[in-house]
Amino acid sequence: MIRFFSGNNPLNVIILFFLGLLIKLPYFITPVIPKPEVTDGFLYIELLKTLQQSGAVFPVLYSIIAFVLLFTQAITFNGLVNDQKLFATPNYLLALSYLVITSVVPEWNVLSPALIINTILVWAWPRMVGLYNHPKPKTVLFNIGFGFGLCSFFYFPSAYLLLLLIVALILFRPFYLTEWLTAILGILTPFYFLLVYFFVWDKWEMVKGVVPAQYLRLPDVSFNWEFWVKFSLVVFPLLVGLLMSRSYSTRLLVQTRKSWNFMIFYLIISLFIPFVNSFQGLTHWVLAVVPISLFHAAFYFYPKKKTFPELIFWLSLIWIIANYAILNS
């Protein structure tokens, strides 16, 4: 299976679509209706209100939206990584990893604000790593900042994505104060338009919901055997892939090495954000799926003998099937 997706056959997109439907079938059979949490932004809450009537009659609607987001993110990010030549040859291992990883953790198949934000992050990623040679970096920085500002309206702790933009500026651009100010202006612009909306329509009482109180705490997670199975299937290939990518990246161009280093910072920041205003479960850690899927793809791509990666892949599929039995019980 791993060797099959190691090629650049366009038919892989169709196969991945049906494979994705198959491994996410449990979430279509027993759909989860998302409920607003304290940490959710007002745009996400408004989205749930819009879908509430239709979702009550047709609850699988939430699963369909979540699957469309996951599949488009997987295929889009896979294509962008191939365009940036992070691997020696183009392949579909990243898209495969993306779909499998999100199926290993059930919470990552639910329509959540973090899942929606991943679409913006996938859009922003090639623009950040491409800053080094862009003829109009200020325009790109403003657009990225604007997108990150919108993310906070779905899930406010994502405002800390500003750290990711700072890392991109440090890695890919020489220091120009005007570029930094442009990025900050882009992030603040959505808030400016929102305040104008509150002023015109006299809805100042909604301001408290836009910027909630911030605090750090450990999530309420049960460290039972199920958690450790999911942890092992996600973290072990991640660490091996990270080490292998570091080893093989020395043979790549300087700019490509910087892109790999950028993904390490991306991983760290995306793992930190869910600790802000955290609550029960692993839902918001889906923010880290984008960099995790890249390192999983490295774990599948670099070994000459694919026996061990194949074993991890099939163990993941077995766990996905077992998850369905657990959900039904």
Side-chain angles (χ1 to χ4, degrees), residues 238-257:
L238 164 66
L239 294 178
V240 175
L242 197 156
L243 293 174
M244 298 189 76
S245 66
R246 294 289 294 171
S247 175
Y248 281 89
S249 64
T250 56
R251 310 174 189 178
L252 303 174
L253 297 174
V254 173
Q255 197 55 45
T256 307
R257 291 204 300 271

Side-chain angles (χ1 to χ4, degrees), residues 100-116:
V100 171
I101 293 166
T102 52
S103 299
V104 166
V105 183
E107 295 95 325
W108 293 351
N109 295 274
V110 178
L111 179 61
S112 66
L115 179 58
I116 296 171

Side-chain angles (χ1 to χ4, degrees), residues 177-199:
L177 181 61
T178 54
E179 293 182 1
W180 286 65
L181 294 176
T182 301
I184 295 171
L185 180 63
I187 291 175
L188 294 177
T189 299
F191 291 92
Y192 169 77
F193 286 125
L194 186 63
L195 290 175
V196 170
Y197 169 77
F198 288 160
F199 175 77

Side-chain angles (χ1 to χ4, degrees), residues 13 22 116 124 128 146 159 173 179 195 229 260 266 268 285 306 328-329:
V13 176
L22 184 62
I116 296 171
M128 287 188 284
F146 190 89
R173 296 291 301 173
E179 293 182 1
L195 290 175
V229 171
W260 277 104
Y266 185 170
I268 294 170
W285 266 270
K306 306 293 184 183
N328 279 346
S329 64

Side-chain angles (χ1 to χ4, degrees), residues 68-79:
V68 169
L69 288 173
L70 287 168
F71 182 75
T72 54
Q73 289 165 9
I75 296 300
T76 303
F77 188 48
N78 190 98

Side-chain angles (χ1 to χ4, degrees), residues 216-237:
L216 291 174
R217 71 175 184 184
L218 293 175
D220 186 8
V221 177
S222 299
F223 294 97
N224 52 23
W225 68 271
E226 295 175 29
F227 170 84
W228 291 113
V229 171
K230 292 183 284 189
F231 182 86
S232 301
L233 291 174
V234 172
V235 174
F236 180 75

Side-chain angles (χ1 to χ4, degrees), residues 150-171:
L150 285 178
C151 287
S152 64
F153 294 168
F154 288 95
Y155 173 55
F156 186 77
S158 65
Y160 293 100
L161 289 171
L162 172 63
L163 298 173
L164 189 61
L165 188 51
I166 290 173
V167 171
L169 281 167
I170 293 172
L171 283 178

